[in-house]
Amino acid sequence: MMQKYQHAIPAGLITLLGLWVAYVSYTQSPAEAFAFPRLVSTVFVVLAVWTFLKALRKDAEQDSGFTRAEIFKIAPGMLLAAVYVFWGAKFFGFYTSTTLTFFILLSLYDPTDHRLVKSWVKRAIITAGFIAVMYCLFALILNVYTPREIWS
């Protein structure tokens, strides 16, 4: 019985999370500041519902799920993502928190030797490029509201 719903349960939980995010984005004001989050959350909900319905189908192709080793490999990134979403972006501000989180995630999952200075320079350059693109996209092009930093 549980094997039958192995993929539907997480897909359902993600769908509920997506619905909550969409609800929050549609109930915040000013409406102009939340236009982009509304678009993204709506697309997220559509994809999540589609995945949930696909997981419920009996003929859906299913694999064995995550191994214990894969879960332990993913866990630090998920924990960091949760801290970022629920605390970091509000406390440090969107851009500072995103920079720290992206750099830490890149450092955690980059297979390059961490003892080489060259690898740290590469991570710093990639992080700076990523944040520059994020800033140009959100602040300059889309005029999206982002959480303000604690020091501002």
Side-chain angles (χ1 to χ4, degrees), residues 71-84 101 105 108-109:
I71 290 172
F72 282 123
K73 191 179 280 189
I74 293 170
M78 295 302 289
L79 180 63
L80 182 62
V83 168
Y84 168 74
T101 302
L105 283 173
L108 279 173
Y109 295 110

Side-chain angles (χ1 to χ4, degrees), residues 110-125:
D110 183 8
T112 309
D113 188 358
H114 286 69
R115 294 174 290 182
L116 299 174
V117 173
K118 182 179 170 183
S119 71
W120 290 101
V121 170
K122 180 179 120 184
R123 289 182 196 105
I125 290 170

Side-chain angles (χ1 to χ4, degrees), residues 15 35-36 43 69 96 132:
T15 301
F36 183 70
V43 170
T96 304

Side-chain angles (χ1 to χ4, degrees), residues 13-35:
L13 292 173
I14 290 171
T15 301
L16 290 175
L17 175 67
L19 288 167
W20 176 72
V21 169
Y23 172 77
V24 169
S25 72
Y26 278 95
T27 57
Q28 300 298 311
S29 59
E32 305 82 40
F34 288 89

Side-chain angles (χ1 to χ4, degrees), residues 26-136:
Y26 278 95
T27 57
Q28 300 298 311
S29 59
E32 305 82 40
F34 288 89
F36 183 70
R38 288 174 180 171
L39 172 69
V40 171
S41 65
T42 301
V43 170
F44 181 80
V45 167
V46 168
L47 293 173
V49 168
W50 177 39
T51 303
F52 178 63
L53 294 174
K54 187 176 175 188
L56 286 176
R57 284 190 10 228
K58 292 182 182 183
D59 61 338
E61 191 176 310
Q62 298 186 5
D63 60 11
S64 61
F66 289 113
T67 64
R68 187 184 256 345
E70 289 171 330
I71 290 172
F72 282 123
K73 191 179 280 189
I74 293 170
M78 295 302 289
L79 180 63
L80 182 62
V83 168
Y84 168 74
V85 167
F86 293 110
W87 179 76
K90 289 179 184 174
F91 184 78
F92 291 117
F94 177 76
Y95 296 109
T96 304
S97 184
T98 301
T99 302
L100 292 170
T101 302
F102 187 83
F103 186 76
I104 292 168
L105 283 173
L106 189 58
S107 299
L108 279 173
Y109 295 110
D110 183 8
T112 309
D113 188 358
H114 286 69
R115 294 174 290 182
L116 299 174
V117 173
K118 182 179 170 183
S119 71
W120 290 101
V121 170
K122 180 179 120 184
R123 289 182 196 105
I125 290 170
I126 291 170
T127 301
F130 175 76
I131 295 304
V133 169
M134 294 291 289
Y135 179 77
C136 288

